Amino acid sequence: MSDPAWDGVDRRVGDDRRRGTSRAGSGRRSTDGETHLTTSIHRLLGPDASVLERQLPFLVLYLVSMLIVLSPSLTVPHPGFLVVAGVIVAVQALAARLLPWDRWPEGAQDVLPLVLIFSVGVVRAGTGTVGPLFTTMVFLPVITLASQQGRRGVVLATAGVASVVFAPPILDPTLHVTGDTILRSFYLSLVAFVVAVTVHEITDRLRARTIALERLQLQQTALLERARRDATELGRVADRRRAARDQLISVIDSATEQAIMATDADGIIEVFNPGAERLLGYSQGEVVGRLPVTAFHQQSELDERRRGLVDYADDGDSPLGFDTIVAAALAGRPEVRDWTYVRRDGTTLTVRLAVTRREDVDESAAGYVVVATDVTAEREAARLQDEFVSLVSHELRTPLTSVLGYLDLLTDGTDPLTDDQREYLTVIDRNARRQLRLVGDLLLTAQVDAGKFSISPQRLDLVDVARASLTSATPVAEAARVQLDLVAEPTVVDADPVRLAQVLDNLISNAIKFTPAGGSIRVSVEPTALGARIAVADTGIGIPPDELESLTTRFFRASTATRRAIQGVGLGLAITKAVVDAHGGTLSIASLVGEGTTFTIELPATPPG
């Protein structure tokens, strides 16, 4: 929309320009004529003219002077000198036209104006008393010489003019040099010197200005080229940013399983994708620019979380509780935590919330991106699983302990047992102890999840722990026809012997189950600069690389185990990792399908805390 005040100014300026154009019409025509004349003169005398073109003004004046000489009213005492002068001028013109002056040094062209000065002297000698009339032609070659670079042209021009005055006495022996001749020679040489110096200074200044203008033009051309390149690059950057923005919007809009919301620095929602609409039951029009991101949170949960923040400070401008949600992102700490969202219909759901800070060009907070994933079903499944594990483990542990106690009484009792009865009791004892170990594993995982898992470190040699685990596994390995090897150096650390024995039992047991007959298992123990390293390497069937990261997840079993129906419930490696983590160590797994697997444990000399 245009401003009426500015429109009026534009109209007045336009009227003034039209009136100025009509009033200046005649003046412009005269100015155009002057400009054309100046351009023509510059074309003939300037540096862009050819060598012959720079001689044309003198040639024109010379022809005019010859026409004057031919007038019947003038008496020429020595016509032969005029013929000689004409030949000299003609030869000079041909030389200016035909010789390659551009290939010679600049000083070579000084010959041409000197020849013209000499021809003026010859004309003056030939015309006698009317000779001084044509002497003024000498100033054209003087100007040509003076316009050259350096002081050489000034000196040559002054000397040349002096020689013109003395030309008649030199060429005509009947004439004598008088004081008047000397005086006129001195005065004319002085005038030539002043003209030459003036022309030389003006030419130098014009030349310097021309060079400066050319340099400025080159700089302007370079700047324009740079600006053109920058404009092209800015256009490409703008196109890329526009394409990236469109792609980002497309990705955000296509994310239907996550609620993605972008807020300004105060928490007001600016972006609300279709996934958020589906998850929360609101439309974009109801939310964008209207509601804060805290509108979906339970206020009691925000208050409870706020009380847990030591450095919380409400700025008074953001929605109540917004600083609680973005506290970690504002401090530059990544944080993913569960929150309870309230949908439009009043129902609640548990979401895993990831908050990212968006920075402005001055590194201040321009806003935040909130990504919410519905984990209600996952959290409920985990809760039910924990309840199930706790219930089953407690309900089974006591009966199994009782069963094992009575089995010991039957086995060690005074009543004799037949061989079949002893075999039956052995099978019952083996399965009962297996179930008791499973219940113990379930209880241990429950303790780990509840944060109640602890270790009792003491001074020990890991070689003793490894040797005891290998001794216990030897009968099973012999039955499976798998060779067990121990490569160990004395390695003393502070650790829980019971838990580390459990770790090695799990790793060796797994290695035996996954190693075909004829294979081998090597257990190595060695000290390191920071503590100890334990490795269990087998030549078994291996594990696919895409499953390595999931091996320590509870109840996860590798596809190679399920295809071969290898027994197990998927708790051994989860317990192993929990024990290693409790010792402050690390567990790494390397495997190749068909070649074997290596489990490596790095332990510190002393557990933390």
Side-chain angles (χ1 to χ4, degrees):
M1 182 177 292
S2 61
D3 190 338
W6 285 107
D7 291 343
V9 172
D10 292 340
R11 285 195 296 272
R12 290 194 297 273
V13 171
D15 293 340
D16 293 341
R17 286 177 178 172
R18 286 191 293 274
R19 287 195 295 271
T21 301
S22 62
R23 289 196 299 268
S26 59
R28 181 177 301 160
R29 284 193 293 273
S30 63
T31 303
D32 291 342
E34 293 173 1
T35 303
H36 180 70
L37 177 60
T38 304
T39 303
S40 300
I41 294 174
H42 178 75
R43 175 72 181 86
L44 294 175
L45 300 179
D48 295 333
S50 65
V51 177
L52 177 61
E53 287 173 337
R54 287 197 288 271
Q55 317 305 319
L56 288 179
F58 180 87
L59 295 177
V60 172
L61 287 179
Y62 181 80
L63 291 175
V64 173
S65 66
M66 291 302 99
L67 292 175
I68 294 174
V69 168
L70 294 176
S71 174
S73 59
L74 296 180
T75 302
V76 179
H78 304 290
F81 286 161
L82 296 181
V83 175
V84 172
V87 173
I88 292 173
V89 171
V91 171
Q92 189 267 2
L94 290 175
R97 175 66 179 84
L98 300 177
L99 295 180
W101 300 98
D102 55 341
R103 285 188 247 164
W104 295 342
E106 185 180 1
Q109 296 186 23
D110 292 347
V111 174
L112 298 176
L114 288 175
V115 170
L116 295 180
I117 291 174
F118 177 72
S119 68
V120 172
V122 174
V123 170
R124 189 172 183 276
T127 54
T129 57
V130 297
L133 176 65
F134 307 109
T135 305
T136 54
M137 286 191 303
V138 78
F139 285 103
L140 285 178
V142 166
I143 292 173
T144 301
L145 285 171
S147 63
Q148 303 298 326
Q149 293 185 5
R151 303 288 182 178
R152 179 187 69 254
V154 175
V155 175
L156 292 176
T158 304
V161 170
S163 66
V164 168
V165 177
F166 286 100
I170 295 174
L171 297 175
D172 187 1
T174 61
L175 298 177
H176 299 285
V177 178
T178 63
D180 180 63
T181 302
I182 296 174
L183 184 62
R184 283 189 288 115
S185 173
F186 174 77
Y187 181 74
L188 191 60
S189 299
L190 180 61
V191 173
F193 176 76
V194 173
V195 171
V197 170
T198 303
V199 170
H200 179 75
E201 292 299 325
I202 293 175
T203 305
D204 271 355
R205 292 179 184 179
L206 290 176
R207 188 179 293 112
R209 184 173 299 178
T210 301
I211 293 174
L213 287 175
E214 290 177 352
R215 188 181 297 113
L216 289 175
Q217 287 177 348
L218 290 176
Q219 293 176 355
Q220 182 182 16
T221 302
L223 289 174
L224 286 175
E225 182 62 27
R226 184 184 302 173
R228 191 177 297 112
R229 290 197 304 268
D230 291 345
T232 303
E233 183 63 24
L234 285 174
R236 283 197 290 264
V237 171
D239 290 340
R240 288 197 296 267
R241 293 192 63 179
R242 190 179 301 109
R245 179 180 178 275
D246 294 341
Q247 183 179 12
L248 179 60
I249 292 176
S250 176
V251 170
I252 291 175
D253 288 342
S254 63
T256 58
E257 296 301 320
Q258 284 81 28
I260 301 177
M261 294 169 281
T263 75
D264 60 13
D266 296 326
I268 303 301
I269 297 174
E270 295 179 337
V271 176
F272 197 76
N273 78 325
E277 291 182 321
R278 182 189 62 81
L279 185 68
L280 297 171
Y282 292 88
S283 65
Q284 288 186 3
E286 295 175 299
V287 173
V288 174
R290 297 173 179 268
L291 294 180
V293 72
T294 54
F296 313 121
H297 286 259
Q298 288 182 335
Q299 190 60 48
S300 59
E301 191 175 36
L302 290 173
D303 294 340
E304 182 180 356
R305 169 63 177 158
R306 181 180 57 189
R307 288 191 292 269
L309 295 177
V310 177
D311 54 353
Y312 174 80
D314 195 344
D315 59 10
D317 296 329
S318 302
L320 186 60
F322 177 66
D323 289 344
T324 305
I325 300 173
V326 301
L330 191 62
R333 302 190 307 269
E335 182 185 58
V336 179
R337 60 178 293 119
D338 289 355
W339 292 87
T340 302
Y341 266 9
V342 181
R343 304 181 76 253
R344 178 172 183 156
D345 58 8
T347 58
T348 61
L349 64 159
T350 303
V351 295
R352 184 174 61 246
L353 210 63
V355 182
T356 305
R357 180 188 183 193
R358 294 188 298 116
E359 291 187 351
D360 211 336
V361 292
D362 59 353
E363 298 185 356
S364 62
Y368 299 87
V369 177
V370 179
V371 180
T373 305
D374 185 5
V375 293
T376 305
E378 297 178 22
R379 298 298 181 263
E380 181 64 17
R383 185 185 65 81
L384 293 176
Q385 179 178 310
D386 291 340
E387 290 183 358
F388 173 77
V389 169
S390 178
L391 177 64
V392 170
S393 62
H394 284 85
E395 290 297 326
L396 289 179
R397 187 182 183 90
T398 301
L400 284 173
T401 303
S402 178
V403 168
L404 288 172
Y406 280 107
L407 282 174
D408 289 339
L409 290 175
L410 287 174
T411 303
D412 298 332
T414 56
D415 295 334
L417 298 174
T418 64
D419 293 338
D420 290 339
Q421 289 174 336
R422 289 189 177 277
E423 182 180 354
Y424 297 153
L425 291 177
T426 301
V427 173
I428 295 172
D429 182 79
R430 183 172 62 248
N431 286 279
R433 294 189 183 280
R434 179 184 174 189
Q435 293 300 317
L436 187 60
R437 283 195 301 271
L438 177 59
V439 172
D441 290 344
L442 291 173
L443 282 175
L444 181 58
T445 57
Q447 290 176 358
V448 171
D449 290 341
K452 299 178 180 179
F453 176 68
S454 61
I455 59 174
S456 301
Q458 63 185 53
R459 202 71 172 168
L460 56 85
D461 190 344
L462 290 177
V463 177
D464 297 334
V465 179
R467 188 176 291 112
S469 294
L470 285 173
T471 301
S472 300
T474 298
V476 181
E478 291 177 350
R481 289 185 296 158
V482 174
Q483 180 181 350
L484 298 179
D485 296 319
L486 175 63
V487 179
E489 301 177 26
T491 307
V492 178
V493 295
D494 290 332
D496 189 328
V498 176
R499 295 304 184 188
L500 285 184
Q502 188 176 10
V503 165
L504 285 172
D505 289 343
N506 284 334
L507 294 179
I508 295 172
S509 173
N510 280 345
I512 293 173
K513 288 189 292 185
F514 282 86
T515 302
S520 62
I521 298 170
R522 187 183 68 175
V523 178
S524 61
V525 179
E526 60 181 346
T528 63
L530 300 178
R533 179 182 297 114
I534 305 173
V536 178
D538 62 57
T539 59
I541 59 178
I543 302 166
D546 58 337
E547 297 179 1
L548 292 177
E549 293 185 358
S550 303
L551 283 180
T552 56
T553 303
R554 283 186 303 168
F555 304 108
F556 177 83
R557 305 201 66 214
S559 58
T560 50
T562 55
R563 283 197 300 267
R564 295 171 181 260
I566 298 175
Q567 293 183 351
V569 293
L571 288 177
L573 291 179
I575 293 173
T576 297
K577 187 175 187 310
V579 172
V580 173
D581 290 344
H583 281 81
T586 59
L587 172 66
S588 58
I589 308 171
S591 182
L592 289 175
V593 176
E595 295 186 14
T597 305
T598 300
F599 291 86
T600 304
I601 299 172
E602 300 279 350
L603 294 176
T606 303

